[in-house]
Structure formats: structure tokens, C-alpha cells
Amino acid sequence: MAKSALEAINGLNLFGNSGAHWSVVYIDIDAHYRNRTTFDSLLPRESASKNTDASLIPTILWPAFAIHEEQLVNRTIEKVLRRLKGSHGLKRFLRDGHGTVLEDKSRKYYRPSEIKTFDGIECEWPLFYIYLIIDSVYKSDSEKVAHYQKLLQPLLLTSEDGPLVPRYYYVPKDCLEQEKNAPGTQIRLPSNEGKIKVNNESRDNIFLWGQSVYIISQLLADGLLNITELDPIRRFLPAAERPRPNSRYSSFQSSPNDLVIQVVLIAESVRLQQLLATYGIQTQTPHQIEPIQIWPPIELAKAYEQLGVNNKLGLSGRPPRPFGGLGTAKIYRACGYTFICYPLLFEVSDFYLSQDMEFVIDDVKSDLQFLGKCWKLAGRPTFCMILREDNLRGLGARHIFDLLAAFKRGDCDGIKVRIGRLQEFISSACIEHLDFLDMDADVENIFRPFLEKDKGKQFRSFTDIPKITKIDLTEAWVHNLELHQKTPWELTQSFNQTDNIYFQAQILQELLNREGLYFRVDGDTVEEKLVKLNHLAGTRQNWSVVRFCSSLLHKLVDSLAPSITAILVRGKQLTISVWGREEEVIDKPVSPNDIKSILYTKCFPYDVIQAVLQQELIINIGTFITTNPELFNGILKIRIGWIVQAMKLELKYYDDKDFSINSLSPSMIKKLLYNVIKRKSDEGQYYSPERSMLWNRQLDGALNRVPPDFYERIWRILERTPSGIKVAGYHLPQQPTLSDMTQYELNFSLLVEQMLSKIIDPAYRQIIVELFVIVEAILSRNPELSFNKAVDLDKLVHEAFELFLKDRGEKQKHDDMTAFYNTLPNVRHGTTIYMVRAIMNHLLDGDLRGIKDFQCIVS
């Protein structure tokens, strides 16, 4: 509802023609994209606690029309009807106690496990049939109109003034048990709301909500009311087909099929512009686009801090968080100025990712793909690319020229682009007027635009730019024990006498731990030495030392918080920790300071480099999940420490060279991460034949990927296991789990993930996942079976392993399960056979609880 309201009210002046600039409603397009993504990711689910809800009907149909993707709308409505439809209307949601005779109306909240008592006796609401009638009129489906009218008619109450809509129908007290045992067989009575007379006394007790919607539906069905009269702003139409009420402010539309992204190339200096021109690359400098200005993203965020400020009401403005790719693709006008904002990835940062040009260029391509996929505003997006001389140093320069060549061709990885002068793009761009900015503000002194730099002497050719040479990736760390035994003076001498930057970094770490950041080494503080060493390692592409120094300096990348938000809005959770250590779960957006605190308390004490390496992975995962969300199908909880472990396994098996993951460049880290996730999501079969079974299981376990319907299988096992399930010392009880939750809700899936998170071996985790699937298959095919005792999955695995050793002729018992992990599942003497035998042994050894109706009777 909020998403639809924001789309409808964007650019609206609350006081119409009599309003001023301060009464215009503005929508943050990047925040709206996150809202839209959250909603799309939830559907056809209603929320984390409800698998579906009848409230989705008025949300995605009339009056909100929150989504126009027909396939998703149909899936959602079909699910609502399948799970909630009854003989007297629709249940609001499963286990809804409102209006039932068992509900204690004196209490505001239900007690633990109380909602289980409402299972099967939920009230049914005719109101939702009326919404479906209205939707059928909008779709010109006369058959559906007649169908829902027929269902609704016997549910209406008669009165002297015409038909009345009861609020709901409930099951009377003396029919509760029969209704629970045989749903839909018992009578239901109408609620008092909707009756003119209650106990023969006249009352003004009409259910106004239902009655008003009913009247609207009948006016529409009889042709007395037009759908455009009911929806004057045309919410029922796709955004591109709606009338634009005001062209001064940006408005929403559907994604055009022929979208072209306008690319403006800005050179930071005349010297760089002239050099690029010799290679046929036409750019502009900040002076050449005047009077238009170029603003850094931090300045745009500063301007938006004035949005919504009201001192009388005590309201502050928009928080100073950075803008995403959609917000920086507009051209802005305010206080007589016109300006464009370049994306955050071109901001000069002291974090090391900008030193790897291949990584930056890959981010540019990802941003363009994101714009091509998610742009839903009138006008074309404008992408401002800042080119700096530092970008052309080293081996990364060729990636820039490859990208610029793609721009000239008009196609960048399937995205249509057009490069040209900024002045030419104004007429076709998306323009946003920031009328809320104070007209009397001293804009020139408050906001600092991107300025042209005077670089002095002109380059005669590309070869005049100093290059960065590629160096060996082999690390040269020394043992820390000898450093612990030296005095600070001896450490300082060692620092000055060695050219090994790995050794120098370790010496600075030792001094930092003992003396602090401000201890002086030859006139410089330890902090200053670390900054210089970090810069030197960056120019030499010594990524291990760069990461090591950056972590010692407690660096934090600017775009980390938006990346975490991008992950969360897709319905995922994130955990941060070193593999094998206690994890910090992130399930809601957090501030940069909180993220920094988590990284440097959960990672830094155990692995210095992972405090920054995991930041890289979060940035990359945020990019992947935005552009290719299908890569993360089957992964509910993204555990960064475990993903690092998966990447190490991939590097170990695929690369014969003795490279540490820490020595890889950021672009190589991104490719490795993509290969790990992509390879698993692309495979048609569950196991990749090019890898050993051990490798497959280690990788699957490390990625925390599970088969389809896995969590529903756990639910079905729990239904047949009164004493619950045990895994790695964690006990998942049958009650109150089944009473407080439903089978398909997200909260239950997260509870299962919490149980599995206690396992520390990726291959063993995957074996447990396979065992769960096997247990559920046995129980579903044998409805007479159930467990009297708690199902101990660890015990079953170890018994299966003992059977495996026995068949191999190994008399000596041991705990090394490598051979078991490396065995195919569904073959003769495969792991599935041994796990089935272990399960059946338990069932036949006193754990079986038979059901009388299924017992074999010999006559």
C-alpha cells in the first residue's frame, strides 16, 4: 500500500495551484526501488510470519494496484484462493483467531502456542469476494464477475433497506471439534457487524467497509460507474500508459523495451582530454559543460538533507546516506543551477578497491545493467563517468579503453548506450527540480562541485603516463614469533633495514599492538607509516599487504551499507564472522558505524585481512543479487565467513599455483566469487561431474544452498516426531514450533537455518541436508511410521558411517569421514543406502510408532 501511495503522490503539490515549493511531495527513487524489490521478493508470500494473507487482494488489485506483472499477480491470487478460500468467503490468514468464539477479547496479545487452537476454525470474510468482483470488472471478465456474484449472493443478509454484508462468518461453539476434524462441513453464523437487528433489538450496526465496497461493486457490475471514475489517476494501467499530471517533477513509467542510457565522459583535466582525443575518444571537461555543474554524490545527499525539514514539528530531513545508481542518473535543477551527479563508484576513496581498475570497470558495467533493468522513470537515464589520469596507470588502462570502445559502438554487454555532449542530452534526460532547496541559500559556498584540475605539461602520448608494473603474487610473510621477542627500538631498526613490504607490515602491526597508532618511527607515527605502506603496496599491486594495512587502519568502504540493504530487501539474511567462529546475524539495515564495529570485533581478532576481505564480498554480493538475483536461489542465509571458505576450496581444487586468496586482486576476487555461485546455480543436475563428491559436498555446504521445498520437508518430519529433531547439539522441539508457526512461513525456515548453523564442517552440513531429505521421503511414503524419540541426525550419520566402514572391510573404527563424504549418493554402496539402513534400524528398533489403521491384519 505504501509503495502504491508513494508512486501516486510523487511530485504532487498538496495544496494544488495554491501551494508553494514546500508543499510538494518528493520520492527518493533509490529508496522506492528498495521498497519495490522488497515487495516483489515477498510475493506471493505476505510476510516473514505469514505465507499468504487475504490482504494481498486489495494490495495488488483494486484499489492499490501495487504491481502490474501479470504472472506474479496471478500466482499470488491463486495462492490466496488455494489456501484461504472457504464456503463463506476467505480467511484473512491461517490461524487467525479474530472473531472466533475461542478468542479472549480482554487480552491484546495471544499467549505462546495459543494460535494453534484457531487452526481450522478461522472466520471467513465475504468482503474479499467483493474485491474479486471489482477486479473482474477491471479485467472485463464477465464470467468471473458472475462467478463471484454467485458465491457472494447467499452470504448477504436481507433487510428492509436492501442486502447487507456481514463482517465475517464464524463457527459456533458447539461445532468446533467437528469443523476441525472435517473442515467445511459445519454451519457458520454471520457476525453481529452487518446486522440491523441483534437479539431482536434495532441497532445501527452496519459493516461500513464491506457495505461501501459492495455498493461500488454493484455500480460497476451494472455499468452505472466507470472504472476510470473509480480510479481517476489510472493506477490500474501500467505506469507508461498513465497520464502525467505534472511534467516539472520526475514520474514513474514502465521499463521501456528500447531504453538507451546516455553516457557523458568527463575528463578531469584538459591534458587528459587531449590525450584521449588522440585515440578518438571525445570527452568534456568541467569547464566545457558550464553553466552545468558536476556534483559529487556526497553533495547531492547534503542537498536532500533539507527535504522534509520542519522545525515546528521537530522533523529533520533525509538522512545523509549515499544515493544509488537511479538517483545519480537524473539531471537536477535547483536555485537557478543545473547539475548532474556522478555515481558513488567514481568518488575518490581511501579504500583500496578504486586502485583496481578492472574492478571499477566491472562495477561500471554492473551499474549500466542495473539502470537498463530497473529504470522506471520518464526520460532517459544519464550516466556521468569521471576519467582521471590515475585510472590510466598500470595494467588496468586497457580495460578502460575496451569499455570506451564499447561505448562508441553503442552497446555495452547488451545494454544500449549513447555517448555525447551533456548539453545534447538535456532535452531527452530525466529532469528533477529540487524546489525544496532554500532559494536564499549561498549555493556556491554550501555545495562544492567537481572542479577541473590543472595538470600542467601536456602528455605527448599514452606512453608518457607512468606505468605500474605487474609483480609476483607469491606472499613473503615472516613468522611472528621473532617479532614478539624484539624491543620497539629493534623493531624500528628492522623496519629500516628491510625492503620486504610484507615484513614491514608485520613490524608495524607489532608496534601498533604494543604502542598504538601514534608511536613514532623515524619521525612518522605508526598510522602515517601504515598509510604510506598501503599506498606503496597499492601501486605495486601487492594486494595482501594492501588488505593487511587497510585492516590495521580499520578502513570501511563507503558503499557497504547500501550493499547490505540490497541483500536484505531480497529476503536474505547476512552473517559476518570468520569461519568456525561465532556469527553476527544482520537481518535489518544497519548504520556504517555498526557495520564497522561488527567487522572489527567478529573478524579482525581472528583474521586481520578478513575484516576488509569480507567487505569486498558484501559489495560484490550486493551487486550480484541486484543484477542476477537467481544466483542465490536456495540460499536463505548468506554466511560471509563460509563463502570465504567456499572460495578457498575452489581456489585449492582449480588452481595448481600456491596462491592465497588474500593475494588476489579485487577483480579476481569478484570473478572467483561469481564462479563459485554461478557454477552451482547453473548446473542442471545436483552434483557436478567435473568435481569429486567431497568437493561437491564441501562447496554446497559452504554456500548453505538447500534443495527446493527443503524447509517444508523439515516441517513434515517434525509433524511425525513428537520429541523433535536434534542436530549438532541443537534441539528443535515439535511444540511450540508447530503451534506458533505455519509450514510455509519464512520464520520457520530461519529457525531451521539456525539449527543447521551449529554445524562447523561444510561437507558434514551437506550430508545432514541429504539425510533430512531421505528421512522425509521414507516418512511420506510410509504414513504408518513416526518416531517416538527425538530424531538425532548426528547419531544416524555416524551409524551410517559405521555401516559404510563395515562394508569396506575396515575393522578399525575411526572418525575420518573423508571417504564417506567422497562417495556418490544414489549408487550401489552409495551414501543414500547406508543412511536409509541407519534410519530403518532406528524405526525397527523401538523408535517405530505404528498407527492402528495401517497395521496388517491376518484373517
Side-chain angles (χ1 to χ4, degrees):
M1 287 289 188
K3 169 186 174 292
S4 300
L6 289 173
E7 291 175 350
I9 206 170
N10 182 41
L12 176 70
N13 196 312
L14 297 176
F15 296 101
N17 295 331
S18 302
H21 63 84
W22 44 262
S23 56
V24 177
V25 178
Y26 291 84
I27 305 302
D28 182 341
I29 181 61
D30 290 292
H32 177 267
Y33 165 75
R34 291 191 292 272
N35 292 339
R36 188 174 75 240
T37 303
T38 302
F39 185 57
D40 292 354
S41 301
L42 272 176
L43 292 177
R45 186 190 296 117
E46 189 269 345
S47 66
S49 61
K50 297 188 186 73
N51 182 252
T52 190
D53 192 304
S55 64
L56 288 172
I57 291 178
T59 303
I60 64 176
L61 305 179
W62 179 84
F65 296 106
I67 189 170
H68 289 84
E69 295 179 27
E70 186 176 355
Q71 185 179 3
L72 188 53
V73 170
N74 292 338
R75 278 179 56 209
T76 303
I77 296 301
E78 187 273 332
K79 186 175 185 180
V80 170
L81 294 176
R82 185 176 71 250
R83 300 198 183 280
L84 303 179
K85 185 179 178 183
S87 57
H88 291 72
L90 270 66
K91 302 176 177 68
R92 293 197 307 173
F93 51 87
L94 298 178
R95 297 184 176 178
D96 175 23
H98 178 68
T100 63
V101 295
L102 297 181
E103 182 187 34
D104 184 352
K105 296 180 174 59
S106 64
R107 286 187 281 112
K108 293 183 179 180
Y109 306 102
Y110 295 134
R111 295 193 178 103
S113 307
E114 187 177 1
I115 62 171
K116 175 69 173 176
T117 61
F118 308 127
D119 199 358
I121 60 166
E122 303 92 340
C123 294
E124 295 177 357
W125 298 57
L127 167 70
F128 297 105
Y129 282 158
I130 304 175
Y131 278 110
L132 292 170
I133 292 172
I134 295 174
D135 177 64
S136 300
V137 173
Y138 269 95
K139 293 176 179 176
S140 301
D141 191 338
S142 56
E143 291 185 7
K144 285 285 183 67
V145 172
H147 172 70
Y148 289 116
Q149 291 272 37
K150 184 177 180 181
L151 292 177
L152 177 67
Q153 200 60 39
L155 306 179
L156 300 176
L157 305 178
T158 57
S159 73
E160 295 178 358
D161 299 319
L164 296 177
V165 180
R167 189 176 188 186
Y168 52 76
Y169 280 85
Y170 67 94
V171 180
K173 191 171 185 178
D174 54 353
C175 299
L176 292 179
E177 290 304 318
Q178 297 94 318
E179 179 68 15
K180 287 186 177 182
N181 294 330
T185 60
Q186 304 302 304
I187 64 168
R188 286 177 177 263
L189 302 178
S191 63
N192 289 333
E193 294 89 348
K195 295 180 180 179
I196 294 295
K197 289 187 177 182
V198 179
N199 297 329
N200 295 323
E201 295 182 10
S202 297
R203 293 185 183 179
D204 186 9
N205 205 28
I206 295 176
F207 177 40
L208 291 178
W209 177 14
Q211 200 65 35
S212 59
V213 176
Y214 172 72
I215 292 171
I216 290 172
S217 71
Q218 300 310 299
L219 290 174
L220 286 171
D222 294 341
L224 300 175
L225 181 67
N226 191 277
I227 56 175
T228 57
E229 295 174 316
L230 184 60
D231 182 15
I233 61 173
R234 311 295 197 270
R235 283 289 308 168
F236 68 94
L237 294 174
E241 301 175 22
R242 298 173 199 155
R244 292 184 61 184
N246 192 335
S247 61
R248 182 171 179 79
Y249 306 101
S250 61
S251 60
F252 292 98
Q253 67 171 24
S254 301
S255 298
N257 296 325
D258 57 347
L259 179 68
V260 177
I261 300 176
Q262 303 175 154
V263 178
V264 179
L265 303 178
I266 302 295
E268 69 170 349
S269 66
V270 174
R271 181 171 74 171
L272 179 59
Q273 181 190 38
Q274 293 172 345
L275 173 63
L276 293 172
T278 62
Y279 292 90
I281 301 169
Q282 301 302 317
T283 60
Q284 292 178 279
T285 64
H287 281 165
Q288 291 173 338
I289 67 168
E290 290 179 350
I292 303 174
Q293 296 181 350
I294 302 171
W295 281 20
I298 191 174
E299 298 300 322
L300 182 61
K302 188 191 301 183
Y304 265 85
E305 286 182 43
Q306 297 187 31
L307 176 61
V309 173
N310 190 307
N311 295 327
K312 292 182 179 179
L313 297 178
L315 299 177
S316 60
R318 178 185 181 273
R321 57 174 177 262
F323 277 82
L326 298 173
T328 56
K330 300 178 184 179
I331 293 177
Y332 293 89
R333 286 179 174 155
C335 302
Y337 292 86
T338 301
F339 59 91
I340 188 172
C341 179
Y342 58 81
L344 188 63
L345 69 96
F346 296 120
E347 186 77 299
V348 176
S349 170
D350 59 352
F351 202 77
Y352 58 84
L353 293 180
S354 59
Q355 295 174 295
D356 183 2
M357 280 314 301
E358 185 177 356
F359 180 88
V360 173
I361 295 304
D362 196 54
D363 264 6
V364 170
K365 294 179 180 179
S366 296
D367 276 13
L368 292 175
Q369 287 181 352
F370 171 70
L371 282 174
K373 181 179 179 181
C374 302
W375 184 258
K376 294 183 182 293
L377 293 176
R380 290 177 175 176
T382 306
F383 187 82
C384 180
M385 182 172 179
I386 305 295
L387 297 171
R388 295 182 171 88
E389 289 184 9
D390 289 344
N391 301 151
L392 302 181
R393 303 179 190 273
L395 300 174
R398 65 182 178 86
H399 298 291
I400 292 183
F401 284 104
D402 289 343
L403 178 69
L404 297 179
F407 284 170
K408 289 192 68 174
R409 293 193 300 269
D411 182 277
C412 181
D413 290 351
I415 302 298
K416 295 179 182 178
V417 298
R418 179 190 171 196
I419 56 175
R421 296 168 56 85
L422 178 58
Q423 291 86 342
E424 298 171 355
F425 290 153
I426 296 290
S427 59
S428 57
C430 175
I431 308 293
E432 188 71 86
H433 291 79
L434 306 185
D435 293 339
F436 58 83
L437 281 181
D438 188 357
M439 298 297 291
D440 297 326
D442 188 359
V443 175
E444 292 185 359
N445 292 325
I446 295 176
F447 302 106
R448 301 185 181 279
F450 177 76
L451 300 177
E452 185 174 316
K453 293 179 174 55
D454 183 6
K455 293 290 186 176
K457 184 180 177 182
Q458 179 182 343
F459 289 130
R460 288 175 295 179
S461 71
F462 179 61
T463 55
D464 288 349
I465 299 179
K467 299 295 186 295
I468 302 170
T469 57
K470 189 72 173 178
I471 69 160
D472 186 11
L473 287 176
T474 306
E475 297 184 358
W477 300 104
V478 300
H479 201 280
N480 275 333
L481 184 59
E482 62 181 87
L483 297 179
H484 296 332
Q485 299 171 349
K486 292 185 176 183
T487 65
W489 183 85
E490 290 174 328
L491 290 171
T492 302
Q493 294 301 310
S494 299
F495 181 87
N496 293 328
Q497 292 169 5
T498 183
D499 293 327
N500 181 349
I501 62 173
Y502 295 91
F503 188 31
Q504 289 180 333
Q506 287 178 289
I507 291 173
L508 291 176
Q509 180 195 25
E510 186 68 23
L511 290 171
L512 173 64
N513 292 339
R514 287 200 218 169
E515 309 295 336
L517 278 173
Y518 304 107
F519 179 76
R520 292 199 167 270
V521 179
D522 296 336
D524 289 335
T525 63
V526 171
E527 182 180 25
E528 291 167 342
K529 287 289 187 185
L530 281 170
V531 170
K532 291 178 181 179
L533 187 61
N534 190 20
H535 178 73
L536 175 63
T539 58
R540 294 184 180 181
Q541 307 285 280
N542 266 298
W543 296 108
S544 281
V545 178
V546 169
R547 292 187 175 100
F548 191 79
C549 293
S550 296
S551 186
L552 292 177
L553 291 166
H554 281 37
K555 297 287 188 183
L556 188 75
V557 65
D558 294 334
S559 54
L560 199 59
S563 295
I564 290 177
T565 303
I567 295 169
L568 296 178
V569 298
R570 289 288 177 182
K572 311 295 183 184
Q573 286 191 347
L574 188 72
T575 70
I576 294 176
S577 78
V578 174
W579 178 67
R581 299 287 181 175
E582 183 184 0
E583 294 177 311
E584 181 76 22
V585 179
I586 298 177
D587 55 5
K588 59 180 179 295
V590 289
S591 67
N593 288 336
D594 291 336
I595 300 169
K596 186 174 183 178
S597 174
I598 293 170
L599 285 164
Y600 286 98
T601 55
K602 295 296 182 181
C603 299
F604 186 81
Y606 310 108
D607 188 330
V608 172
I609 289 180
Q610 281 210 35
V612 291
L613 179 62
Q614 293 202 15
Q615 295 183 50
E616 290 183 54
L617 297 184
I618 292 171
I619 294 291
N620 293 332
I621 290 171
T623 301
F624 293 154
I625 207 168
T626 300
T627 54
N628 303 100
E630 67 280 357
L631 292 177
F632 297 87
N633 289 343
I635 303 177
L636 179 60
K637 185 176 288 187
I638 299 174
R639 304 168 74 183
I640 303 299
W642 282 57
I643 289 179
V644 172
Q645 186 68 11
M647 294 169 67
K648 288 180 178 178
L649 291 170
E650 190 80 351
L651 197 62
K652 171 185 173 183
Y653 283 114
Y654 265 120
D655 205 323
D656 294 332
K657 299 177 183 178
D658 187 21
F659 286 164
S660 163
I661 190 174
N662 299 330
S663 64
L664 301 179
S665 68
S667 56
M668 294 173 71
I669 289 287
K670 188 173 185 177
K671 290 176 182 177
L672 178 61
L673 172 63
Y674 184 78
N675 289 337
V676 166
I677 301 173
K678 181 82 159 60
R679 186 171 289 113
K680 288 307 303 175
S681 65
D682 272 356
E683 289 159 7
Q685 55 189 19
Y686 192 67
Y687 296 105
S688 172
E690 66 184 30
R691 293 192 293 254
S692 67
M693 272 313 301
L694 173 62
W695 185 4
N696 271 294
R697 286 189 169 115
Q698 286 176 327
L699 193 56
D700 283 324
L703 289 176
N704 290 266
R705 201 187 296 274
V706 297
D709 302 327
F710 175 72
Y711 304 109
E712 289 83 351
R713 293 171 185 262
I714 306 295
W715 181 276
R716 291 193 286 270
I717 294 173
L718 206 56
E719 286 180 322
R720 309 274 285 278
T721 313
S723 298
I725 299 169
K726 290 182 179 178
V727 174
Y730 185 96
H731 180 229
L732 179 63
Q734 185 190 65
Q735 297 297 343
T737 306
L738 298 186
S739 299
D740 290 347
M741 298 181 179
T742 56
Q743 180 175 1
Y744 301 99
E745 71 177 65
L746 182 60
N747 286 343
F748 177 71
S749 302
L750 294 172
L751 188 62
V752 174
E753 279 296 328
Q754 182 181 342
M755 174 178 66
L756 294 176
S757 68
K758 305 302 178 182
I759 303 171
I760 60 173
D761 182 356
Y764 185 72
R765 183 190 193 276
Q766 184 58 26
I767 286 288
I768 292 291
V769 169
E770 295 174 26
L771 182 57
F772 270 124
V773 174
I774 295 168
V775 171
E776 190 276 333
I778 292 174
L779 293 178
S780 64
R781 294 173 187 176
N782 299 273
E784 74 278 9
L785 300 180
S786 62
F787 290 92
N788 279 329
K789 301 177 183 177
V791 181
D792 192 332
L793 275 291
D794 300 303
K795 187 176 180 181
L796 290 175
V797 169
H798 285 95
E799 288 185 11
F801 179 55
E802 289 177 3
L803 293 170
F804 172 79
L805 293 178
K806 184 178 179 180
D807 281 3
R808 285 168 59 98
E810 297 186 27
K811 298 180 181 180
Q812 185 82 24
K813 291 186 177 181
H814 56 81
D815 295 330
D816 184 5
M817 301 179 67
T818 304
F820 187 68
Y821 296 153
N822 204 29
T823 302
L824 288 168
N826 301 320
V827 296
R828 187 182 181 188
H829 301 300
T831 54
T832 300
I833 300 298
Y834 296 108
M835 287 191 279
V836 169
R837 288 169 60 184
I839 295 167
M840 295 309 298
N841 286 344
H842 270 257
L843 287 172
L844 300 175
D845 190 27
D847 282 356
L848 173 66
R849 183 178 66 179
I851 300 175
K852 183 177 180 180
D853 294 343
F854 289 96
Q855 292 177 353
C856 178
I857 300 175
V858 181
S859 57

